[in-house]
Amino acid sequence: MLRARIVLIPSKEDPLLSKHRLGRAALVVVSALGAAACTSADATDDQGVSIVASAFPLAEAAERVTGGAARVENLTPPGLEPHDLELSPDDLEALVTADLVVYVGGGFQPAVEDAVEQAEGRALDALSVIEPSPPAPPDGGTVDPHVWLDPERYARIVEAVARAMSEVEPQRRDTFHANAEAFAAELEVLDRAFEEGLATCDRRTLVVNHAAFGFLADAYDLEQIAISGVSPEAEPDPARLAELRALVQEEGITTVFTEELASPEVAEALAQEAGVATAVLNPLEGLTQEQLDAGADYLSVMRENLETLRTALDCA
């Protein structure tokens, strides 16, 4: 029986791996693999189907669709901010030789998109199955990659992974689609919980560490105000911080949201100056090893997010 290997690739252009350098590196990998193709074909067949992609939510989608029968690799190690990922030669080899690559496109990770052009197998851009998209991020970026924070849109990605896997392994088509439907049903329940839990809140404004919550805000009639843009490393200037402090005080906002994998220093400083509390709102870009060891998954973290939001927004 064929066994799938699934790898997920986060959306960020690494300044140390420019588009030009990554393209050349991918070509080198392709050339090396081509030279060894005649001697490794049987070994490749023995290893089964390979599927590569990019961050924790995509890895979980792949695991649920394949039902544990596939070996899923997440290129973003536990505890690492996906924006900080650097593609190693092994990462590039996995991407170029994969039967399926799942990634986030739209210009968010041009280096990865360049490498995908060299891929030998199929490629699935998670954003290609999402309509409509929320407004562009406030930092001039063209895309918010955190589509999984809307359970309904995330379910479309899960279904798209099932379709892609059905093309790779048609003999398991029924299993893939049954698994995807089961996960989508759980996501529908989660979506209803968010709709009901956030229906009556005293406030609807989220002051967040970085612009990762556009899809969540769009889905549940909230307003996202980000301290920095799509990249959490970008720091606002003093004028922006003064503007945010005034907004927090004028609108009676009680909480500034931080994140577990990104530095909370600026958000904590803003909260202290404005005299309000902080709370962790997880963009689910990745989990820590401690969370994984404790059995945390997409559904459990999203439920924690819901309770955090209800408390911060004073929802009845």
Side-chain angles (χ1 to χ4, degrees), residues 91-156:
D91 295 334
L92 289 170
E93 180 178 358
L95 187 155
V96 172
T97 61
D99 294 285
L100 173 66
V101 178
V102 184
Y103 69 104
V104 178
F108 183 78
Q109 47 177 186
V112 171
E113 293 180 58
D114 281 355
V116 165
E117 293 178 4
Q118 309 298 329
E120 300 169 355
R122 294 175 175 84
L124 170 63
D125 177 358
L127 289 181
S128 69
V129 300
I130 302 305
E131 290 293 341
S133 294
D139 62 344
T142 59
V143 62
D144 176 358
H146 308 85
V147 60
W148 48 79
L149 290 175
D150 174 3
E152 184 178 358
R153 289 178 171 109
Y154 182 46
R156 298 177 198 172

Side-chain angles (χ1 to χ4, degrees), residues 270-299:
L270 171 62
Q272 184 175 9
E273 291 183 9
V276 299
T278 62
V280 175
L281 191 63
N282 197 325
L284 272 159
E285 295 173 331
L287 300 185
T288 65
Q289 189 60 57
E290 182 179 5
Q291 288 173 314
L292 294 172
D293 291 343
D297 60 13
Y298 172 87
L299 293 170

Side-chain angles (χ1 to χ4, degrees), residues 227-279:
I227 297 173
S228 62
V230 168
S231 172
E233 289 83 10
E235 294 189 4
D237 58 32
R240 173 62 175 166
L241 286 174
E243 177 185 346
L244 290 171
R245 182 175 64 250
L247 181 144
V248 168
Q249 294 171 334
E250 290 170 4
E251 296 196 8
I253 293 169
T254 63
T255 307
V256 174
F257 294 106
T258 63
E259 301 168 29
E260 195 153 12
L261 299 183
S263 172
E265 291 182 2
V266 177
E268 289 176 345
L270 171 62
Q272 184 175 9
E273 291 183 9
V276 299
T278 62

